[in-house]
Amino acid sequence: MNTGFLEQNLGRARVGLLLLLTLVSASCRSPAVPPPPPPPAPAPLEPPPAPAPAITLEVSVSSIEQGESTTLNWQSRNSNAVRIEPGIGEVDPSGSRQVSPGSSVTYTATATGPGGQATDIVRVTVRAAAPPPAVPPLPDRPALTLEELFRTNVQPIYFDYDQSQIRADQVGRLQNNARFLQSNSGVRFTISGHADERGSQEYNIGLGDSRANAVREFLVRQGIDESRISTVSFGEERPVCSAESEGCYQENRRAEFVTRGQ
């Protein structure tokens, strides 16, 4: 027998046996377990709904008379805009407003926010104003006499110490006198000049005369007919005040007017 042939066949047999054993060993192993699938991703959370707005509208006095006022007060929550109608419009989320409606009215406050709208109302009743109380007619007054009008409208003119010039602060008063005398052209009158007690009697008579004539000349320049005017001086003889003070002396340094009728 050929020895080489046998060895070759034995080698092949061994290789085949090894292959068989390998196949048998592989078939006996447990199959691999696949890994578990990943957990599903959580669903996204939905944002919570926006809170609903709320508003409260009140009035300080719900019944007023025409011409009176009252105050609206309001408070809102969860709102970004508040409107009050009629006649007010957009306002702050909370506040107050004085109103004077001319007639009865219902005010509506509307609050608006991400969560919707809310409203509140208030009623203001406006009553017709009570008529004013009847005023009894004044009794008829007798018309003033010309002499009374003269005393009311023709005022004394005052002078500085030992002076007979018309003072600047007396010009307006003297012009008012002239206007009355022009409007009553038939009135005749006397201008009397006076002085305070300082100085001799003779000197004060002359000073009073100068003062009366200074007033007379002013009126004539204002258009008063000089035939209507007469003058007289009493000097210090007819004081209106007897105290020894500058205020009293000032009252005595004057020119007065007395009507002589028409």
Side-chain angles (χ1 to χ4, degrees):
M1 180 178 289
N2 190 342
T3 304
F5 179 78
L6 289 174
E7 291 178 354
Q8 184 178 11
N9 287 335
L10 287 172
R12 290 175 178 173
R14 285 195 294 271
V15 170
L17 181 60
L18 288 172
L19 290 172
L20 179 63
L21 290 174
T22 300
L23 290 174
V24 171
S25 175
S27 64
C28 293
R29 293 178 182 172
S30 299
V33 178
L45 297 176
E46 294 185 1
I55 189 166
T56 301
L57 179 64
E58 298 176 338
V59 63
S60 59
V61 180
S62 61
S63 180
I64 60 176
E65 286 191 358
Q66 284 182 337
E68 294 181 340
S69 299
T70 187
T71 302
L72 297 177
N73 300 282
W74 65 93
Q75 291 185 339
S76 69
R77 299 186 306 277
N78 307 323
S79 66
N80 50 27
V82 173
R83 188 175 186 87
I84 300 178
E85 296 293 349
I88 297 179
E90 296 288 340
V91 295
D92 292 334
S94 297
S96 63
R97 179 72 60 87
Q98 189 177 67
V99 292
S100 300
S103 58
S104 297
V105 60
T106 298
Y107 289 100
T108 301
T110 302
T112 304
Q117 284 188 340
T119 62
D120 196 7
I121 63 173
V122 71
R123 179 76 174 172
V124 177
T125 301
V126 179
R127 307 184 305 274
V135 178
L138 295 174
D140 293 336
R141 295 182 59 186
L144 294 177
T145 66
L146 182 59
E147 185 173 351
E148 290 171 331
L149 291 171
F150 186 94
R151 288 198 302 267
T152 300
N153 292 278
V154 182
Q155 301 297 312
I157 304 301
Y158 297 98
F159 294 86
D160 287 333
Y161 174 68
D162 200 27
Q163 299 294 320
S164 59
Q165 292 87 1
I166 304 299
R167 286 186 349 204
D169 65 339
Q170 298 296 297
V171 170
R173 173 179 287 205
L174 197 45
Q175 288 173 334
N176 289 337
N177 291 353
R179 281 190 286 270
F180 175 83
L181 295 169
Q182 287 169 343
S183 300
N184 297 272
S185 58
V187 175
R188 302 169 65 84
F189 57 95
T190 297
I191 304 171
S192 59
H194 302 265
D196 62 40
E197 64 186 29
R198 294 171 294 182
S200 67
Q201 184 175 6
E202 292 79 9
Y203 182 84
N204 286 335
I205 287 290
L207 184 56
D209 185 67
S210 297
R211 289 170 174 169
N213 279 289
V215 172
R216 177 181 179 276
E217 291 170 5
F218 186 98
L219 294 176
V220 170
R221 290 195 299 271
Q222 295 291 310
I224 306 301
D225 189 341
E226 59 183 337
S227 66
R228 300 169 55 192
I229 309 171
S230 64
T231 61
V232 65
S233 175
F234 294 105
E236 61 187 80
E237 296 176 5
R238 297 188 179 183
V240 295
C241 181
S242 59
E244 294 183 357
S245 66
E246 179 54 34
C248 185
Y249 294 150
Q250 172 64 93
E251 292 186 46
N252 292 333
R253 299 193 301 263
R254 69 195 189 280
E256 287 185 329
F257 298 79
V258 179
T259 179
R260 292 188 286 119
Q262 294 181 310

